[in-house]
Amino acid sequence: MHFSSQATQDRPERTALGGLDAIAGTVSFPRNAEIHSQGGTARHCYRILSGCVRTVKLMEDGRRQVNEFLFPGDWFGFEAEGEFEFAAEAVGPVVLHRYPRPAFDALAAREPAAASWLLGLAAAQLRHARDRMVTLGRRTATERIAGFLSEMAARQPRESGSAVALPMSRGDIADHLGLTIETVCRTLAQMRRDGAIGLSRTSFTIRNRAALQALASATRH
Amino acid sequence: MHFSSQATQDRPERTALGGLDAIAGTVSFPRNAEIHSQGGTARHCYRILSGCVRTVKLMEDGRRQVNEFLFPGDWFGFEAEGEFEFAAEAVGPVVLHRYPRPAFDALAAREPAAASWLLGLAAAQLRHARDRMVTLGRRTATERIAGFLSEMAARQPRESGSAVALPMSRGDIADHLGLTIETVCRTLAQMRRDGAIGLSRTSFTIRNRAALQALASATRH
DNA sequence: CGGTCGGTTGAGCTAGATCAAATCCAGTGG
DNA sequence: CCACTGGATTTGATCTAGCTCAACCGACCG
């Protein structure tokens, strides 16, 4: 899978896209605050400075899909045209840079470097979204959870063997992976019993990377 | 859901992006031929002139995910960086315009209009991919099938009430919706029995649009 | 110290998968 | 034109991964 791109694509802002600094505003949100709503007018796009954001689609009857978890350096909201197709919510306290869409779009239209950087960003998110379709369409609960833990570990730079933060709730994880809270709990508990991971409410450690990888891509039958 | 964008975004080619014509080659593929392979070097991107293409991800053990079905006017392969993350295959006989990536990328880097058109294309596919995540993560088999039929009907311009082509096999549909062939068959048969659709192997007709819409977005419980 | 809100665990239940036959064509050859 | 053949589709019977319902736990908070 590909996760590398999102965390590293804030670079152009400091080089070819210096113009972005000029239009950025800094905003903060507390835990569970709505940064923008599903269906709301897309007036800004955002880059995360600190904290974790979830993007959420809600069905009329309350079923929920968490499209992605976003971390410092990640951008969101730039692909909306007119209105947001999903809500963005703060998982914990977050600080963001916020860019007004008119100025942002104008910069992309004017600066070829900005446009191509933005295209790369969209392409990376598209590739990531397609990986997730395989997960949601064809993987078992154990594979989904193991893959999710691996992704979290890969996206959080830290010394190997140390704890990986799980800032989001079990419900968020369930709605991200197309499972229920109970299945997430049970599967995590089983992995702990098997010695693959250490587990606490808000973090985990990889005890046996090979076992976790095996679970993430188990060949069926 | 959004499907409109893909079928209409060949327009700039005839206006601001006249340069694309100069680098296009025309190629044909027979039924089930591989247009490009998963993991192959991304030397071209493509636009469909006629026929239907499926983009496919294959897991090591043979589980398959059909990311999308593409129709005349749709583009694919432009978001690959280095190598393709999925294979593209001809559902039936297809004719394509093929664009060498170096020339294509150069045009996008040079022409702001080309870049912004391409960004719109990527953004549309991203929004579509995210709609599909809700389907794959949270919808029932009946909702998936009803939604799929509605999408096919919306994407194939034709006089209302006439038959909608289903050029792809039941297996393709199953792998697109994260179901099995048997579930696809049974669900379609049930909808026919309920009078919502007329059904043949390679097409269907909408007999009762309201009933189909209701099935596509049934409120659970 | 009691309340509340996540999280965990247990006991069935069911939508959809799996396994197993038919059946239906489309294409082929006579 | 018709019989034949192989893959695609349909239908039936059964199984099970993951869901639902329910109870309990435990950390944090005022």
Side-chain angles (χ1 to χ4, degrees), chain A residues 132-154:
Chain A
R132 278 181 45 63
M133 281 188 208
V134 180
T135 296
L136 293 173
R138 286 294 177 229
R139 294 184 128 92
T140 65
T142 302
E143 290 169 336
R144 294 179 203 206
I145 302 273
F148 174 74
L149 296 181
S150 299
E151 175 177 345
M152 286 300 112

Side-chain angles (χ1 to χ4, degrees), chain B residues 5-218:
Chain B
S5 47
Q6 296 181 327
T8 57
Q9 279 173 339
D10 57 334
R11 226 165 284 291
E13 177 217 344
R14 295 196 296 278
T15 58
L17 304 188
L20 278 175
D21 283 339
I23 60 172
T26 303
V27 286
S28 303
F29 293 88
R31 179 174 137 83
N32 288 331
E34 187 174 78
I35 296 163
H36 67 67
S37 65
Q38 182 172 355
T41 307
R43 283 188 243 280
H44 302 90
C45 60
Y46 304 85
R47 185 171 65 94
I48 302 180
L49 295 179
S50 71
C52 174
V53 168
R54 61 176 178 262
T55 59
V56 176
K57 286 208 181 217
L58 211 53
M59 292 174 62
E60 320 69 49
D61 61 0
R63 277 177 286 172
R64 204 175 74 130
Q65 176 69 34
V66 173
N67 279 329
E68 46 200 350
F69 293 110
L70 299 163
F71 291 96
D74 292 346
W75 288 80
F76 61 95
F78 61 86
E79 79 287 4
E81 280 170 15
E83 62 183 47
F84 289 114
E85 312 236 323
F86 53 82
E89 299 166 355
V91 168
V94 298
V95 183
L96 308 169
H97 264 170
R98 192 174 69 174
Y99 303 82
R101 280 301 293 270
F104 188 88
D105 296 347
L107 186 66
R110 191 172 64 237
E111 272 288 351
S116 96
W117 159 77
L118 200 50
L119 184 58
L121 206 58
Q125 294 206 7
L126 193 49
R127 290 194 300 270
H128 189 228
R130 285 178 178 155
D131 278 339
R132 276 181 46 62
M133 281 189 208
V134 180
T135 296
L136 293 174
R138 287 294 177 229
R139 294 183 127 93
T140 65
T142 302
E143 290 169 335
R144 293 179 204 206
I145 302 272
F148 173 73
L149 295 181
S150 299
E151 175 177 346
M152 286 300 112
R155 286 178 69 173
Q156 289 180 25
R158 85 229 124 70
E159 53 273 45
S160 159
S162 68
V164 181
L166 285 180
M168 68 294 290
S169 71
R170 299 290 188 267
D172 287 342
I173 298 173
D175 287 338
H176 184 56
L177 299 176
L179 301 171
T180 59
I181 291 177
E182 292 92 327
T183 298
V184 170
C185 277
R186 275 188 254 272
T187 307
L188 285 171
Q190 186 60 48
M191 288 176 180
R192 179 169 43 72
R193 265 179 255 123
D194 294 347
I197 60 171
L199 185 63
S200 83
R201 189 176 295 231
T202 56
S203 74
F204 72 99
T205 54
I206 297 179
R207 286 262 157 74
N208 184 339
R209 182 173 297 277
L212 193 60
Q213 296 298 348
L215 290 175
S217 57

Side-chain angles (χ1 to χ4, degrees), chain A residues 29 33-36 46-56 66-72 74-76 86-96 155 167-168 172:
Chain A
F29 294 88
E34 187 175 77
I35 297 162
H36 66 68
Y46 304 85
R47 186 171 64 93
I48 302 180
L49 295 178
S50 71
C52 174
V53 168
R54 61 176 179 262
T55 59
V56 176
V66 172
N67 279 328
E68 47 200 350
F69 293 110
L70 299 162
F71 292 95
D74 292 346
W75 288 81
F76 62 96
F86 53 83
E89 299 167 355
V91 168
V94 298
V95 183
L96 308 169
R155 286 178 70 173
M168 68 294 289
D172 287 342

